[in-house]
Amino acid sequence: MGSTLDCVICLMRQSLEAARFASNDEATHAKILERVMQIFLERGITSSPPIVGTYVHRVVREITGEPDPYKREKEKFNREAFSKWDDIKRSINTSTDPFETAVRLAIAGNSIDYALEALTEEKVRVALSSALQTPMRGSLQALRDAVQNARSILYLTDNAGEIVYDKALVEMLAGPQYEKSVTVATRGAPIINDALREDAIEIGIDKVAKLIDNGGDGLGTIFALTSPEFNAEFARADLVIAKGLANYETLAFPQENAIAPKKIAFLFKAKCPFIAKAVDANLGDLVVKID
């Protein structure tokens, strides 16, 4: 899936935002933007946004010398989300359909994303508070069936903070209701506010499922960058549940990746108008897409 001209603008915004998180020096910011523009001149817009974005954020880390520009933001949103843990569990346990509620909350948590817009706690609060009423596109029943038919599930996380809501769904999948063997995979190295192994441990995902990282610093799942351990888990799983737009963009279009996708359930919020159109959703919808 190639980039659009709007993707170029979005990635430029991302690079400047990350530069400002990492450094207060405007000369450094300008140097980063010059290098990012050079990336687009060299690569064009034929590659998908996650692949180009991986190069963009490497430039930010290289020039600023800051290995994890969003570290403080990730810690903040992890704390904020985990402070709601009792409310999350109560919403699920008192629901007439706990599975649907857990899925809705997990997808709504995908709002905690610096990739597409400047993020505020208020934006996240509104997105999460409306999760149970927000339209859902795709087939929840197809996801139920895929879970029921799987023995092992690989759950690909997306952002810090969001992983608290993922934990509630993972806990359900691994618990007595479904009794699935669940492996959770985070990113292998810092990129934007994507969750790392340390973020998952901080909120206790390792207590409810096997935890690994994917070994790479790419946006989404780029098999040229992921580790042999992760690739083996991917190949072994009966079902892959992939959170977020970057995982959709990198895994739903196998011609751009070295390992052909298998049964994958994509869970994300339609935050990008081009992705929303591609999956026949409206901007802001919750999306369940099974490939």
Side-chain angles (χ1 to χ4, degrees):
M1 183 177 185
S3 300
T4 68
L5 294 176
D6 294 83
C7 297
V8 176
I9 302 302
C10 188
L11 286 166
M12 291 294 292
R13 179 202 57 77
Q14 272 186 45
S15 62
L16 180 57
E17 179 182 77
R20 286 173 171 164
F21 274 126
S23 168
N24 293 321
D25 181 44
E26 288 193 4
T28 298
H29 303 163
K31 185 177 180 181
I32 287 168
L33 291 181
E34 288 171 4
R35 285 278 298 277
V36 170
M37 285 187 279
Q38 188 62 37
I39 289 172
F40 282 110
L41 289 173
E42 291 171 355
R43 298 188 63 88
I45 58 171
T46 56
S47 294
S48 71
I51 292 173
V52 179
T54 297
Y55 288 100
V56 166
H57 287 281
R58 284 177 177 176
V59 164
V60 174
R61 297 194 300 272
E62 174 192 333
I63 291 177
T64 64
E66 172 55 65
D68 193 354
Y70 289 85
K71 184 174 177 60
R72 286 189 294 275
E73 292 297 298
K74 291 189 292 184
E75 291 172 347
K76 178 181 76 175
F77 278 103
N78 268 349
R79 287 194 303 270
E80 174 65 21
F82 200 59
S83 72
K84 305 289 194 301
W85 179 248
D86 289 344
D87 294 334
I88 293 168
K89 292 292 291 182
R90 189 178 304 110
S91 293
I92 294 169
N93 292 337
T94 60
S95 172
T96 56
D97 189 339
F99 181 79
E100 178 179 356
T101 299
V103 170
R104 281 181 167 275
L105 289 172
I107 300 175
N110 190 228
S111 302
I112 308 174
D113 185 1
Y114 275 97
L116 289 165
E117 62 177 354
L119 192 62
T120 66
E121 292 182 33
E122 178 62 16
K123 287 180 181 178
V124 173
R125 186 193 66 76
V126 170
L128 291 168
S129 64
S130 62
L132 301 184
Q133 291 78 43
T134 302
M136 180 183 286
R137 304 292 178 176
S139 174
L140 184 67
Q141 187 58 48
L143 178 61
R144 289 186 205 270
D145 293 342
V147 167
Q148 290 284 12
N149 293 331
R151 291 169 300 174
S152 60
I153 297 172
L154 175 62
Y155 194 106
L156 308 183
T157 63
D158 192 13
N159 303 306
E162 177 181 351
I163 58 171
V164 173
Y165 298 88
D166 293 328
K167 179 186 175 183
L169 179 54
V170 167
E171 194 173 68
M172 176 180 290
L173 297 175
Q177 182 176 351
Y178 291 99
E179 297 184 324
K180 304 301 177 181
S181 172
V182 183
T183 298
V184 174
T186 65
R187 302 289 190 263
I191 186 161
I192 318 186
N193 66 316
D194 291 10
L196 302 176
R197 188 192 291 251
E198 65 198 54
D199 298 305
I201 290 172
E202 180 184 358
I203 58 96
I205 283 184
D206 58 317
K207 301 296 193 299
V208 299
K210 177 183 176 181
L211 177 63
I212 64 171
D213 64 64
N214 71 8
D217 68 341
L219 283 168
T221 302
I222 303 170
F223 291 114
L225 304 178
T226 52
S227 67
E229 177 192 12
F230 171 81
N231 294 346
E233 288 282 355
F234 189 95
R236 185 162 47 239
D238 296 324
L239 172 66
V240 175
I241 296 178
K243 290 293 299 296
L245 298 185
N247 273 324
Y248 175 68
E249 289 173 289
T250 50
L251 290 172
F253 303 92
Q255 68 273 18
E256 294 196 5
N257 249 332
I259 299 178
K262 54 195 312 174
K263 189 76 170 180
I264 303 179
F266 296 102
L267 308 183
F268 57 87
K269 189 166 184 178
K271 297 167 288 188
C272 165
F274 301 99
I275 297 295
K277 183 178 179 181
V279 297
D280 194 27
N282 295 315
L283 206 59
D285 286 352
L286 310 181
V287 177
V288 177
K289 190 175 189 307
I290 312 290
D291 279 359

